[in-house]
Amino acid sequence: MSAHVQVPPFVVIPGGQVQQVLHERQQEVVDIVADTYRQHGAGGTVNPPSYFLRFPDRPNSRIIALPAALGGDAAVDGIKWISSFPDNVAAGIPRASAVLVLNDHDTGYPFACLESSVISATRTAASAALAADHLSRGRPAPRRVGFVGTGLIARYIHTYLSATGWSFEEIGIHDLSEEHAAGFGEYAAEAEPGAKITVHTDADGLIRTSDLVVFATVAAKPHVHDPAAFAHHPLVLNVSLRDLSPDVVLSAANFVDDVEHCLKADTSPHLAEQRTGHRDFLDGTLDDVLAGRVRPPTDRTVIFSPFGLGVLDLAVGRYVYEEVVARGEQLVVPDFFAELRRYG
């Protein structure tokens, strides 16, 4: 390491600033996510397995650590630390909260801490919009979309679909909470004034009447079991990963963001692997599709199951940091690192 390298100043970026930077930048973020998938597919990233912190006294809650590193001209390392506490919703606060720490490539010193629930939702929605675009090519444009689960992620996905050129004649909604379903219906009616909004009492009914199905729930195990519900061969964004039974997975063409990451932790594809003893039911990754190595079928149900890669959080977080610094709006914490002399 050269002698002129210095410890970077430590910056805190609160959620309000994150939202300001990302507001109406949907296409830019989708492009960032696409470039990151290509870099990951080319071996230009480090993305080890996520670590799940679980609690015997709170079995439905967890905190996940997603360490990662991006190479290239603007290399950065870091980690997202994101909690999922579903019981928060009943108390009137969001289920998920998160921070993202960015580390300097040369010194390893952390140089930024960003509120990251918005970054996490943004990269998830951008990934879903990117997959919907490329996996639907060659098919009639989906006119009927259905959302199973109506929280923050579902809203962000719809926003990203709308901002990247999608519009729908019908929007189906299903949620275990009638209140949440009604709230999402109000949002959808305002976002797409001409669309027919239908609240379904079960997921199967929604699936049968949708060309594009989005699963964005907190389901811990499969609750959709009948492959016949998919007989019309919709495109499925399996964002929450655990809603679909192995029977449904094995009846479809399957694409993931990363094979090793997705086939673990009892996700729907992982359960299919456990049943069959192989991975032959996987048709490829999203990077395979972006690169043209694999063409998704147009006469089968297509399921995209993204585990969620830490490198996506890094890429979007780095973008936010650079925009904040370029505007001169960064909040620097003075003397964050107090011991910078080896011998005092």
Side-chain angles (χ1 to χ4, degrees):
M1 184 181 297
S2 58
H4 72 275
V5 172
Q6 297 181 339
V7 173
F10 188 77
V11 172
V12 174
I13 301 178
Q17 281 187 306
V18 174
Q19 287 181 316
Q20 289 172 9
V21 169
L22 295 176
H23 181 62
E24 295 186 350
R25 300 285 185 89
Q26 288 92 345
Q27 189 58 59
E28 287 182 60
V29 176
V30 170
D31 292 341
I32 289 169
V33 167
D35 289 342
T36 305
Y37 275 131
R38 292 187 181 100
Q39 187 177 356
H40 181 67
T45 68
V46 179
N47 203 110
S50 304
Y51 180 80
F52 287 70
L53 177 61
R54 300 186 185 275
F55 314 98
D57 62 328
R58 293 156 287 167
N60 68 335
S61 300
R62 64 192 183 191
I63 307 179
I64 312 173
L66 289 84
L70 277 171
D73 296 334
V76 64
D77 311 324
I79 188 169
K80 179 174 73 172
W81 182 240
I82 182 167
S83 64
S84 174
F85 280 53
D87 291 346
N88 286 353
V89 176
I93 61 176
R95 170 187 62 85
S97 58
V99 294
L100 175 68
V101 176
L102 303 181
N103 292 73
D104 180 63
H105 173 271
D106 295 327
T107 65
Y109 272 81
F111 65 85
C113 179
L114 300 84
E115 194 285 329
S116 198
S117 65
V118 171
I119 290 173
S120 186
T122 295
R123 63 84 151 147
T124 300
S127 170
L130 178 70
D133 175 16
H134 287 268
L135 293 174
S136 66
R137 294 184 180 184
R139 295 168 170 252
R143 309 307 301 168
R144 305 174 300 169
V145 64
F147 290 88
V148 181
T150 59
L152 179 74
I153 297 299
R155 174 164 59 86
Y156 266 67
I157 290 174
H158 180 266
T159 298
Y160 263 73
L161 289 171
S162 297
T164 53
W166 295 70
S167 62
F168 302 101
E169 297 171 358
E170 299 181 25
I171 300 176
I173 299 167
H174 172 65
D175 196 287
L176 295 179
S177 165
E178 293 182 4
E179 177 186 356
H180 298 161
F184 190 84
E186 293 174 3
Y187 154 78
E190 183 176 344
E192 297 208 39
K196 176 185 176 183
I197 312 296
T198 303
V199 176
H200 294 263
T201 57
D202 60 83
D204 275 17
L206 177 146
I207 294 163
R208 293 175 188 273
T209 56
S210 300
D211 309 313
L212 172 64
V213 184
V214 179
F215 287 96
T217 74
V218 293
K221 60 183 180 180
H223 59 94
V224 176
H225 299 276
D226 187 3
F230 301 83
H232 58 302
H233 304 317
L235 172 61
V236 179
L237 302 178
N238 182 29
V239 175
S240 42
L241 285 174
R242 295 175 178 84
D243 300 76
L244 305 177
S245 72
D247 289 330
V248 173
V249 171
L250 295 172
S251 70
N254 290 278
F255 296 86
V256 298
D257 53 358
D258 182 283
V259 174
E260 295 301 329
H261 283 78
C262 194
L263 270 68
K264 64 180 181 182
D266 289 338
T267 64
S268 295
H270 187 208
L271 295 177
E273 180 191 32
Q274 292 176 50
R275 174 181 292 187
T276 63
H278 62 72
R279 299 177 173 184
D280 295 345
F281 59 88
L282 293 181
D283 292 74
T285 66
L286 182 55
D287 179 58
D288 289 330
V289 177
L290 296 177
R293 292 187 293 269
V294 178
R295 186 184 298 273
T298 59
D299 58 349
R300 296 179 64 196
T301 299
V302 171
I303 300 175
F304 176 57
S305 299
F307 195 81
L309 301 177
V311 289
L312 300 182
D313 298 284
L314 279 190
V316 175
R318 181 180 63 191
Y319 171 75
V320 171
Y321 169 82
E322 290 173 350
E323 285 290 311
V324 169
V325 171
R327 299 175 184 184
E329 298 174 349
Q330 66 270 31
L331 173 62
V332 177
V333 181
D335 302 319
F336 186 82
F337 299 106
E339 285 284 358
L340 294 178
R341 298 184 63 182
R342 186 175 180 85
Y343 299 108

